[in-house]
Amino acid sequence: MIDRHPDPDALLASLKQEEARAQRGRLKVFFGMCPGVGKTYAMLRAAHEELRDKVDLVVGVVETHRRVETEALAAGLPIVPKKKITYRDIQLEEMDLEAILTRKPRLVLVDELAHTNVPGSTHAKRYQDVIELLDAGIDVYTTLNIQHVESRADTVRQITGATVHETVPDTLLDLADQIELIDLTPEALRERLSEGKVYLGEKAAAAAENFFKDTHLTALRELALRFTAERVERQ
């Protein structure tokens, strides 16, 4: 006869997992095929909606890259000032993780999830900062491009010829409660590039001839769409 009674130890472990999950902050990732599709802009717009609903939120770090529309949206949000860190006699700034944990807002905005922190920071990688925020029960909005997903980085290198040095483990994305794809056609993105809305000056011209080729963007878009669809299917 097969014992159909649930294993008490397995049941207890499952309940503990659910309890831990309920106490952890929620993670939302604004996801795109490459820089310039509007991930940070979408994140900031979503933050303004939360602010209108009286959600206690702060900006931990937002990289506007001098994009006028993005800077205008960021200007209206409460910010936790960055921490100054001296490295090789140069003063640099990073997100102040400790100040945010002390402040303990309901929601924090943490741009560019794959970023590598300055040596001397609490963690080597920004995604590790995010894990600590989530463990503290703080919700996080963040942004990420497909090339920075660890399991897709080699495919992106094969497509574009560019080696990706900063990646985020797929296991972190398994923690995400929501991955919102910010989609843009290659034509629209190249138009944004030509208008100076992605990069400025010589950097924009170089990008158009290399990473932002139509064939590259089409392949990256397909990769991002497929990855997002797989996530939805798994959930």
Side-chain angles (χ1 to χ4, degrees), residues 115-156:
H115 171 80
T116 300
N117 290 333
V118 174
S121 301
T122 304
H123 299 294
K125 302 288 292 187
R126 187 170 285 167
Y127 74 78
Q128 294 170 317
D129 295 337
V130 166
I131 291 171
E132 188 164 348
L133 291 167
L134 294 171
D135 286 344
I138 299 171
D139 295 345
V140 176
Y141 281 179
T142 191
T143 63
L144 185 70
N145 291 321
I146 185 65
Q147 72 259 32
H148 297 298
V149 177
E150 192 171 68
S151 65
R152 302 302 194 273
D154 191 55
T155 303
V156 172

Side-chain angles (χ1 to χ4, degrees), residues 54-111:
K54 309 299 182 187
V55 173
D56 178 23
L57 68 84
V58 298
V59 171
V61 57
V62 163
E63 307 292 357
T64 65
H65 299 289
R66 292 189 290 165
R67 294 168 189 156
V68 177
E69 300 96 333
T70 309
E71 286 181 342
L73 267 183
L77 296 171
I79 297 173
V80 172
K82 291 181 183 177
K83 177 169 61 176
K84 291 178 171 56
I85 300 174
T86 301
Y87 177 64
R88 294 182 177 174
D89 298 324
I90 301 172
Q91 194 170 74
L92 302 168
E93 292 184 331
E94 288 290 2
M95 181 177 75
D96 195 335
L97 175 63
E98 291 75 17
I100 296 169
L101 290 169
T102 300
R103 166 75 169 69
K104 196 157 187 186
R106 175 69 266 166
L107 169 66
V108 60
L109 276 55
V110 183
D111 210 359

Side-chain angles (χ1 to χ4, degrees), residues 147-197:
Q147 72 259 32
H148 297 298
V149 177
E150 192 171 68
S151 65
R152 302 302 194 273
D154 191 55
T155 303
V156 172
R157 181 189 59 77
Q158 292 173 28
I159 292 169
T160 66
T163 301
V164 180
H165 298 288
E166 294 182 316
T167 60
V168 172
D170 289 51
T171 49
L172 176 61
L173 296 174
D174 290 338
L175 294 176
D177 299 275
Q178 186 178 358
I179 295 181
E180 181 176 332
L181 179 66
I182 310 302
D183 188 34
L184 202 62
T185 65
E187 294 78 16
L189 183 55
R190 282 181 61 86
E191 186 176 336
R192 281 178 54 80
L193 184 68
S194 68
E195 292 171 350
K197 293 180 178 179

